[in-house]
Amino acid sequence: MRMPRRGLVIQARTRWLLVGLALLFSLVLLMYLLECAPQTDGNGSLPGVVGESMGKEYYQALLQEQEEHYQNRATSLKRQIAQLKQELQEMSDKLKSLQEKKSPKVNGMNYQGTKEQTSNDLLEFLHSQIDKAEVSVGAKLPSEYGVIPFESFTSMKVFQLEMGLTRHPEEKPVRKDKRDELVEVIEAGLEVINNPDEEDGQDEDDGVGNRQLYSENDFIEGYYRTERDKGTQYELFYKKMDGMEYRHVTLFRPFGPLMKVKSETVDISRSIINVIVPLAGRTEAFAQFMQNFRDVCIHQDKRVHLTVVYFGQDGLSEVKSIMESVARETDFHNYTLVSLNEEFNRGRGLDMGARAWEKGEVLMFFCDVDVYFTAEFLNSCRLNAEPGKKVFYPVVFSLYNPAIVYANQDIPPPVEQQLVHKKDSGFWRDFGFGMTCQYRTDFLTVGGFDLEVKGWGGEDVHLYRKYLHGELMVIRTPVPGLFHLWHEKHCADELTPEQYRMCIQSKAMNEASHSHLGMLVFRDEIEAHLRKQAYRTNSEAVG
């Protein structure tokens, strides 16, 4: 007797669900074994030279940091196991419903069909949230105030713009839910990389054994931001220590489970950066800039071209001599000096520097002579700018006046020791848009700078707004490897009222932190209190 067709379908579905159930149990067992297996990569050893005298507090802090790391890892695994158990339960429920001869009906509709339709509707809604968000293409915005900036993070720290009076520019996530969130995101990115789909473009014939597997130690940096009505976007970058290729993963959490948007390999080994610096006078600052350029660009990165656009004749010969001296000592000849015998105009200088390049497409970094950057920043510049797709507007960490920050010392420490992300040492310069990485064709396509803007400020905001009005994505995030060194500002009388207000605002914010400025304002009260205390102490001693 032939079995009815419905029975065959139920048997087939039952068989496949049983197979899926077995695979999920195997996955849980495999995760358990991996977690319990001893570490063999040797990363558990304490840093430092053998026999070096280390303080007890140092080792306690290091052990506490490691303990927090493994606690976060364990918490994440427990959460994934709980999710797997929930999925197993759901599959068991489906299995039971399929084994029934007749599915119950609600208001004349098949209940199982209703459940599947609800699941499909939910999935469609989640994908629609991704499509609405600014994940793959840029959104046209009316002004710079409409931008939702990213916050950047590593495996241990978060670099945040919104600080108020209590939070810090760099800190470990205080809230446990935030720590768990970032650990989960990093591990989800690893899952995408180590188990690629066909759409990721990797050859399945290579097999897992020949494919390079990534671990959490290969996570370099990440960015995240939340659109209140859509969800949270994550941009993650991974790299092996001995390679130049980065793995870039985009994830999105549409107020639900994490969903993969894309995964790609980015090779930056041949990406040249044209660092363009407009300059007039300030030869001492330029000598310091060239020292940083020598250490980072020539000795470490080696894929950089320097373009200096100099205004006027005063100091030109000294600047030329500094560049030639560096070229002789390091055998570096990838530089261009453009001389303009006219009044300084930053937009004009950067525009001339961009047009002076005659070798086709190139990634440009618009830089000032007071900016200090690291080799890691140059790689961030390459990873976050893409021709025809996105431009990079990093937020610079601006250092305060060292005479105020280090007032209790005879002289301020060397510049390299001032480069720390502390609340009293500096702030994220989120109102500045002068430092940017973008491709030459994109810059020329939007029309470059507004050359009608004269003097200080304004030209960078105009260019920023042009990109916001277009189709390109604007990546705006604080980066730890980019510093603006303090220098005294002079606001000229020739500036327009708006420019003068911006200049004074910048000058005030550049001097010192809220607490240091408060100490200066109430200095007379503090000194009077100290005198009273000293008088009282002396009186008690005499009595």
Side-chain angles (χ1 to χ4, degrees), residues 399-466:
L399 298 178
Y400 290 134
N401 186 345
I404 299 177
V405 176
Y406 305 99
N408 60 339
Q409 301 182 22
D410 293 335
I411 57 173
V415 171
E416 290 75 15
Q417 296 180 22
Q418 299 179 29
L419 306 177
V420 291
H421 302 94
K422 292 184 178 179
K423 200 160 190 173
D424 285 336
S425 65
F427 67 101
W428 293 113
R429 198 183 187 88
D430 59 342
F431 56 84
F433 307 95
M435 267 38 74
T436 172
C437 298
Q438 52 195 259
Y439 276 86
R440 185 174 183 270
T441 52
D442 294 331
F443 174 77
L444 297 178
T445 299
V446 299
F449 287 102
D450 183 357
L451 300 182
E452 297 301 319
V453 178
K454 303 295 183 183
W456 186 93
E459 79 291 331
D460 50 358
V461 180
H462 283 80
L463 178 63
Y464 186 63
R465 289 172 181 167
K466 286 183 180 181

Side-chain angles (χ1 to χ4, degrees), residues 244-491:
M244 285 304 299
E245 284 189 349
Y246 285 75
R247 294 304 307 271
H248 173 210
V249 177
T250 300
L251 301 176
F252 195 81
R253 191 194 299 275
F255 303 116
L258 281 169
M259 302 180 69
K260 186 189 81 171
V261 178
K262 69 176 180 180
S263 173
E264 60 183 355
T265 300
V266 183
D267 185 359
I268 62 171
S269 59
R270 299 183 180 180
S271 178
I272 302 296
I273 298 179
N274 184 14
V275 180
I276 304 177
V277 181
L279 186 63
R282 309 207 51 210
T283 54
E284 290 184 5
F286 181 70
Q288 185 179 48
F289 173 86
M290 286 304 297
Q291 182 61 46
N292 174 227
F293 185 88
R294 179 208 303 251
D295 295 341
V296 173
C297 300
I298 301 177
H299 293 160
Q300 297 182 52
D301 192 90
K302 304 183 188 342
R303 293 163 293 157
V304 173
H305 185 96
L306 175 63
T307 300
V308 176
V309 181
Y310 196 85
F311 290 83
Q313 298 298 316
D314 186 19
L316 175 61
S317 59
E318 189 172 350
V319 166
K320 186 176 181 181
S321 174
I322 292 172
M323 298 181 72
E324 290 176 348
S325 174
V326 171
R328 286 193 306 270
E329 294 171 5
T330 62
D331 195 27
F332 177 81
H333 302 286
N334 295 330
Y335 69 89
T336 303
L337 177 60
V338 179
S339 176
L340 298 177
N341 192 17
E342 54 189 74
E343 185 182 355
F344 179 79
N345 182 313
R346 185 176 185 274
R348 163 85 167 149
L350 293 172
D351 191 85
M352 287 295 295
R355 298 178 189 279
W357 180 269
E358 298 178 347
K359 301 177 183 178
E361 183 66 289
V362 69
L363 175 59
M364 304 183 300
F365 171 37
F366 293 158
C367 186
D368 286 343
V369 71
D370 302 299
V371 168
Y372 184 101
F373 54 87
T374 65
E376 289 75 19
F377 165 74
L378 294 178
N379 287 334
S380 297
C381 180
R382 295 180 175 102
L383 291 169
N384 290 287
E386 189 174 352
K389 292 188 178 181
K390 55 186 179 181
V391 293
F392 187 38
Y393 272 85
V395 180
V396 182
F397 192 75
S398 188
L399 298 178
Y400 290 134
N401 186 345
I404 299 177
V405 176
Y406 305 99
N408 60 339
Q409 301 182 22
D410 293 335
I411 57 173
V415 171
E416 290 75 15
Q417 296 180 22
Q418 299 179 29
L419 306 177
V420 291
H421 302 94
K422 292 184 178 179
K423 200 160 190 173
D424 285 336
S425 65
F427 67 101
W428 293 113
R429 198 183 187 88
D430 59 342
F431 56 84
F433 307 95
M435 267 38 74
T436 172
C437 298
Q438 52 195 259
Y439 276 86
R440 185 174 183 270
T441 52
D442 294 331
F443 174 77
L444 297 178
T445 299
V446 299
F449 287 102
D450 183 357
L451 300 182
E452 297 301 319
V453 178
K454 303 295 183 183
W456 186 93
E459 79 291 331
D460 50 358
V461 180
H462 283 80
L463 178 63
Y464 186 63
R465 289 172 181 167
K466 286 183 180 181
Y467 283 118
L468 296 181
H469 297 161
E471 300 291 340
L472 272 65
M473 290 183 63
V474 176
I475 306 298
R476 177 76 167 159
T477 183
V479 290
L482 192 61
F483 295 86
H484 182 273
L485 305 180
W486 182 87
H487 63 91
E488 189 173 0
K489 285 185 174 295
H490 299 281
C491 300

Side-chain angles (χ1 to χ4, degrees), residues 157-206:
K157 296 178 180 178
V158 174
F159 303 92
Q160 54 204 4
L161 289 177
E162 299 297 331
M163 296 189 300
L165 296 178
T166 58
R167 301 173 71 190
H168 298 273
E170 171 196 288
E171 66 182 17
K172 294 182 181 180
V174 177
R175 290 174 56 102
K176 183 178 182 299
D177 57 347
K178 174 56 68 176
R179 294 198 302 268
D180 292 346
E181 173 196 351
L182 297 182
V183 170
E184 180 190 5
V185 167
I186 293 172
E187 292 178 350
L190 289 172
E191 180 68 20
V192 170
I193 295 174
N194 292 330
N195 299 281
D197 298 330
E198 292 182 4
E199 61 188 34
D200 293 337
Q202 293 201 12
D203 190 356
E204 293 185 357
D205 295 337
D206 291 344

Side-chain angles (χ1 to χ4, degrees), residues 117-129 131:
Q117 182 62 39
T118 303
S119 177
N120 291 336
D121 290 344
L122 176 60
L123 190 61
E124 184 178 348
F125 168 75
L126 295 178
H127 281 292
S128 70
Q129 292 294 93
D131 294 337

Side-chain angles (χ1 to χ4, degrees), residues 46 55-67:
L46 295 175
K56 180 180 178 181
E57 294 81 3
Y58 170 81
Y59 289 109
Q60 286 178 339
L62 193 60
L63 289 172
Q64 182 180 357
E65 186 174 290
Q66 291 292 328
E67 183 179 357

Side-chain angles (χ1 to χ4, degrees), residues 83-145:
Q83 291 175 352
L84 288 172
K85 287 181 178 178
Q86 183 178 354
E87 292 180 11
L88 286 172
Q89 184 61 44
E90 291 177 357
M91 292 187 69
S92 298
D93 294 341
K94 288 183 179 180
L95 182 60
K96 290 178 181 178
S97 64
L98 287 173
Q99 287 176 337
E100 296 177 358
K101 292 183 178 180
K102 291 184 178 181
S103 298
K105 295 186 178 181
V106 180
N107 296 330
M109 290 185 62
N110 184 281
Y111 176 75
Q112 185 65 28
T114 304
K115 190 175 180 181
E116 290 178 357
Q117 182 62 39
T118 303
S119 177
N120 291 336
D121 290 344
L122 176 60
L123 190 61
E124 184 178 348
F125 168 75
L126 295 178
H127 281 292
S128 70
Q129 292 294 93
I130 297 177
D131 294 337
K132 293 176 185 176
E134 191 182 357
V135 178
S136 301
V137 294
K140 293 185 178 180
L141 300 172
S143 74
E144 63 272 21
Y145 303 108

